Amino acid sequence: MKAVILAAGSGERLAPVSQHLPKALLPIGSETIVSRLIGQLSQRGIDEIFIVVGYEADAIREHVISLHSTVPIRFIENKDYAVTNTAHSAFLAAPYVEGESFFLIDGDVVAADHLFDQACSSKGNTLFFESKAISSPEEMKVCIRDHSVYLSKEIPTEKSLGEFIGIVRFDEEAGEAFFAVLREELHGSKLSYYEEAINRISGTHRFSLLPVEHGSWIEVDFVTDYLEAVKNFASKRPAPVVSEQILLCPGPVMVSQHVKSALLHSDIGHRETEFIETLARTRQKLNKVFGVKSNHYTNVILTGSGTAANEAVLSSYGPGKKIAIVSNGEFGNRLIDIARCHDLDVVPIEFGWGEAIDLQQVETIIEREHVDALMMVHHETSTGMLNPIYEMGALLQEHQVDFLVDAVSSLGAEDLSVEEAGITFCTASANKAIASLPGLAFVCGKKSSFVALRNAQPRTRYLDLYRHYEYEELYSQTPNTPAVSLFFALEAALDELLRDTLQKRMEHYAHLSSLVRKRLKQLGLSFVIDESLMSRVLTTVFYPDGIDVEAFHEWIKKHNFVIYRGKGPYLGKAFQIANIGHVKKEHISAFLDLLEQGITNHLAEIAVGEDC
């Protein structure tokens, strides 16, 4: 008996938790969705498994090969996954299973072991469903029509028998008929879902409907589905004791004991004098970090992430203006997404991930489009590239264009003066180079630009930038209840930074990154971008040849170091080493020694197997 797993889709709706991983690689406890399926099938007599891959196909291949399954596993690639659906993916399996009995399984199904016991003991053509009322238009419903099984999302709720769970068994004849329909109809691009082909053959090839227990399965389409799958199907065990981890990732970062201790303060009300004084002091110290020397600039502090600060700027400043947004990575793209979310008049200027910004091209576009403002990321964390804010600022001043800057991961690590760069609004957050705890973000800008927002119609209540300015600048208050304890931690981190001096902190980060890059080159590794374009705090480097990515990161984590996988086009191809926050030379040296040990002495321990 064979099985086909359909795992070609990108699962865009799961991006908040998947971080661009394919759905198949989402963890369920100590397993992934696909490794769980492989284990359940192989333990129940399936003698060959075919996985149809598309999005991040290489990452899935590497992971599956690393499992060293006792059952042969073969991969079928749907190169057109972005423009096709499950019917095309299923059809690609025809040369491998046509003429034989086989299971067809959606690759996002997480199910209990006993459900697979039930499935693998079934005979003939069998379709599995859960008997329940369904109101969602997204679910594939099942009913009986003209004495035959019928599947569709359009079946009225009152006529539905329940929900198809994404597992179906075909006998030899039904399988041949199924693929014949797909072959004929796909030629004319008439089918989207393989369930439509089942409908075409169910009149001549009888399918049994086999109900499954409620709670015995979940199809992971949305974030809520994934969270429920983890809750219901991850191994039940006591909460683990979290060991001390060395965070070599670009945020959140390690913080000093002094910053942690600042959280242990007396309880105070946020409308009381004690908090008012803390807020005023902290904003004054932030001005120094932003390079403010005159009375023309000020800042506000928001309870939220760096993205909250960016959304506050774009949603408050942007309506009625034409804004160019420069992007050469994920966080530039995120700015474009935020602008579009608020229906702003946005002009994307996209250079591609890891590509340097061409100022001449930017100038041509702002002249042609007559934009009011331009926004860009200072440190594009998805690649580690430092973008030229001073050169861009000079260009924009010449054309009288406002300048908005995302400095979320550069403030406190890179040379940045909002005044010298002519920045209108600049955003940053606490849990990057300032080395405080996550949860606070800042907007520093010209006072005149804050005041100009007074009569603007806000797009959001919580992130109304003028409202924050009015409360903090005029009343030394916050408009909403703030994360009070984080203000104490932030002030402690600012005290450390200013005591060290910005210059010495930058030199420290530069020294650590030089240690990282020198050793990586000695190990024969190559960088995603040229060293001359890199920031002081982050290095993005390609994996060594022959390394299984998942095993590599597990091996690093086992030794209490945390590094991040590459994003977007670098997912499965590169990883990132950050030296930001309260990172010391001994942390970096210990990690590099571990990395060298893993690459030179224990490669076999984390290498990709030759075959499965």
Side-chain angles (χ1 to χ4, degrees):
M1 189 73 177
K2 298 180 179 181
V4 177
I5 298 174
L6 303 180
S10 62
E12 293 178 354
R13 292 177 290 195
L14 287 161
V17 294
S18 67
Q19 295 295 304
H20 306 293
L21 277 175
K23 277 201 280 189
L25 298 188
L26 285 174
I28 306 294
S30 60
E31 303 172 292
T32 60
I33 291 179
V34 71
S35 71
R36 181 184 176 92
L37 284 172
I38 290 169
Q40 290 170 318
L41 293 169
S42 61
Q43 292 165 16
R44 287 161 179 82
I46 300 300
D47 51 33
E48 193 168 17
I49 298 172
F50 298 88
I51 304 177
V52 183
V53 295
Y55 175 72
E56 293 298 337
D58 289 343
I60 296 176
R61 281 194 191 94
E62 291 178 1
H63 170 66
V64 170
I65 291 172
S66 73
L67 300 175
H68 301 292
S69 172
T70 56
V71 171
I73 299 174
R74 304 189 188 283
F75 301 95
I76 305 167
E77 185 163 4
N78 179 357
K79 295 183 179 180
D80 299 318
Y81 72 89
V83 293
T84 61
N85 216 310
T86 60
H88 184 69
S89 289
F91 174 66
L92 294 175
Y96 305 94
V97 298
E98 194 168 9
E100 302 184 50
S101 298
F102 68 95
F103 282 100
L104 184 63
I105 301 171
D106 289 347
D108 55 3
V109 171
V110 180
D113 288 344
H114 67 79
L115 189 151
F116 281 95
D117 291 335
Q118 183 181 9
C120 291
S121 62
S122 64
K123 304 294 183 183
N125 301 317
T126 309
L127 188 147
F128 298 85
F129 79 108
E130 180 183 345
S131 178
K132 64 177 182 179
I134 307 167
S135 57
S136 170
E138 293 293 324
E139 309 303 348
M140 188 63 69
K141 305 178 187 73
V142 59
C143 72
I144 299 297
R145 177 179 292 185
D146 297 328
H147 307 292
S148 301
V149 167
Y150 186 80
L151 299 165
S152 174
K153 295 182 179 181
E154 307 300 326
I155 297 171
T157 300
E158 64 274 12
K159 294 185 177 181
S160 168
L161 297 177
E163 181 179 356
F164 173 51
I165 73 167
I167 301 176
V168 58
R169 185 189 189 279
F170 294 88
D171 66 16
E172 295 89 337
E173 292 181 359
E176 287 184 350
F178 173 70
F179 288 122
V181 170
L182 291 176
R183 187 177 293 111
E184 177 183 350
E185 298 296 338
L186 285 174
H187 183 69
S189 300
K190 296 178 182 178
L191 295 183
S192 293
Y193 301 102
Y194 70 79
E195 290 89 347
E196 297 171 69
I198 294 176
N199 293 340
R200 302 283 182 90
I201 68 171
S202 64
T204 54
H205 297 80
R206 182 177 177 83
F207 281 80
S208 299
L209 286 177
L210 197 60
V212 301
E213 292 180 10
H214 175 70
S216 64
W217 72 286
I218 293 173
E219 182 183 20
V220 181
D221 279 331
F222 301 96
V223 172
T224 50
D225 299 328
Y226 174 65
L227 297 177
E228 186 178 355
V230 171
K231 177 182 177 182
N232 292 349
F233 296 107
S235 299
K236 305 296 184 182
R237 49 190 165 185
V241 177
V242 179
S243 59
E244 188 71 24
Q245 297 174 356
I246 307 301
L247 301 182
L248 301 183
C249 51
V253 301
M254 293 194 299
V255 303
S256 70
Q257 190 59 48
H258 175 63
V259 171
K260 294 175 185 176
S261 298
L263 296 173
L264 303 175
H265 59 83
S266 300
D267 295 333
I268 63 169
H270 70 287
R271 300 299 184 206
E272 302 306 312
T273 302
E274 293 83 357
F275 181 76
I276 291 172
E277 292 174 349
T278 299
L279 175 61
R281 290 195 308 269
T282 304
R283 292 178 63 228
Q284 289 175 357
K285 293 168 184 177
L286 267 177
N287 270 348
K288 295 179 182 179
V289 179
F290 275 107
V292 174
K293 296 180 181 177
S294 71
N295 292 323
H296 301 305
Y297 279 80
T298 189
N299 69 78
V300 297
I301 305 175
L302 317 177
T303 294
S305 66
T307 299
N310 286 326
E311 187 158 2
V313 168
L314 284 167
S315 64
S316 301
Y317 169 90
K321 295 184 174 65
K322 194 172 190 178
I323 303 178
I325 299 181
V326 177
S327 175
N328 57 354
E330 179 182 11
F331 294 95
N333 290 348
R334 184 178 294 182
L335 296 177
I336 295 171
D337 289 343
I338 293 171
R340 287 174 172 162
C341 178
H342 290 279
D343 199 25
L344 303 183
D345 187 0
V346 58
V347 179
I349 307 177
E350 298 175 274
F351 290 97
W353 289 53
E355 297 296 325
I357 292 172
D358 183 336
L359 291 172
Q360 186 173 358
Q361 183 178 340
V362 172
E363 184 172 24
T364 299
I365 293 173
I366 64 174
E367 287 177 342
R368 183 184 69 221
E369 299 290 340
H370 304 291
V371 300
D372 299 295
L374 178 143
M375 190 166 190
M376 66 181 286
V377 177
H378 187 198
H379 176 215
E380 179 48 75
T381 321
S382 60
T383 62
M385 180 176 286
L386 193 68
N387 289 321
I389 59 165
Y390 288 108
E391 295 85 345
M392 185 68 79
L395 172 65
L396 298 179
Q397 286 183 54
E398 182 180 337
H399 291 274
Q400 297 183 327
V401 172
D402 285 349
F403 193 16
L404 316 176
V405 174
D406 171 344
V408 167
S409 62
S410 62
L411 183 70
E414 302 292 344
D415 179 22
L416 171 63
S417 167
V418 292
E419 290 189 335
E420 292 179 17
I423 296 172
T424 308
F425 288 115
C426 185
T427 64
S429 69
N431 65 307
K432 307 292 186 182
I434 288 178
S436 189
L437 296 164
L440 296 179
F442 337 117
V443 179
C444 181
K446 296 177 181 178
K447 289 183 179 179
S448 59
S449 297
F450 277 111
V451 172
L453 301 176
R454 177 190 297 143
N455 297 320
Q457 181 65 36
R459 294 288 180 91
T460 73
R461 178 67 170 170
Y462 186 76
L463 297 177
D464 179 357
L465 192 55
Y466 179 75
R467 192 161 178 261
H468 281 276
Y469 166 78
E470 181 180 43
Y471 269 78
E472 295 189 28
E473 185 74 7
L474 303 182
Y475 312 122
S476 292
Q477 295 269 331
T478 57
N480 310 100
T481 303
V484 173
S485 296
L486 295 181
F487 281 78
F488 287 90
L490 174 59
E491 185 177 23
L494 290 170
D495 287 340
E496 288 185 334
L497 174 57
L498 295 172
R499 185 169 57 249
D500 289 347
T501 74
L502 281 163
Q503 183 60 39
K504 288 186 178 179
R505 184 69 66 89
M506 287 191 292
E507 291 172 358
H508 170 68
Y509 286 144
H511 176 60
L512 295 182
S513 64
S514 69
L515 295 177
V516 170
R517 292 161 194 171
K518 181 180 179 180
R519 183 78 79 89
L520 293 178
K521 286 187 289 187
Q522 290 173 348
L523 293 173
L525 302 183
S526 56
F527 304 128
V528 165
I529 60 174
D530 189 82
E531 280 189 79
S532 64
L533 301 173
M534 295 182 190
S535 71
R536 291 176 169 88
V537 293
L538 185 62
T539 304
T540 307
V541 58
F542 288 109
Y543 291 107
D545 292 338
I547 286 289
D548 169 42
V549 171
E550 295 303 317
F552 172 76
H553 283 276
E554 289 174 9
W555 187 76
I556 294 294
K557 179 73 175 290
K558 185 172 72 173
H559 291 82
N560 294 327
F561 287 95
V562 176
I563 57 175
Y564 278 0
R565 295 164 175 79
K567 299 176 181 291
Y570 304 116
L571 180 65
K573 299 176 183 177
F575 62 100
Q576 297 188 306
I577 305 169
N579 50 272
I580 191 172
H582 193 65
V583 176
K584 300 178 180 179
K585 181 179 178 180
E586 49 264 37
H587 296 142
I588 296 295
S589 297
F591 171 77
L592 292 172
D593 289 343
L594 175 69
L595 185 65
E596 181 171 357
Q597 175 191 4
I599 292 173
T600 59
N601 299 332
H602 298 286
L603 186 61
E605 183 179 345
I606 52 177
V608 176
E610 291 299 319
D611 201 349
C612 58

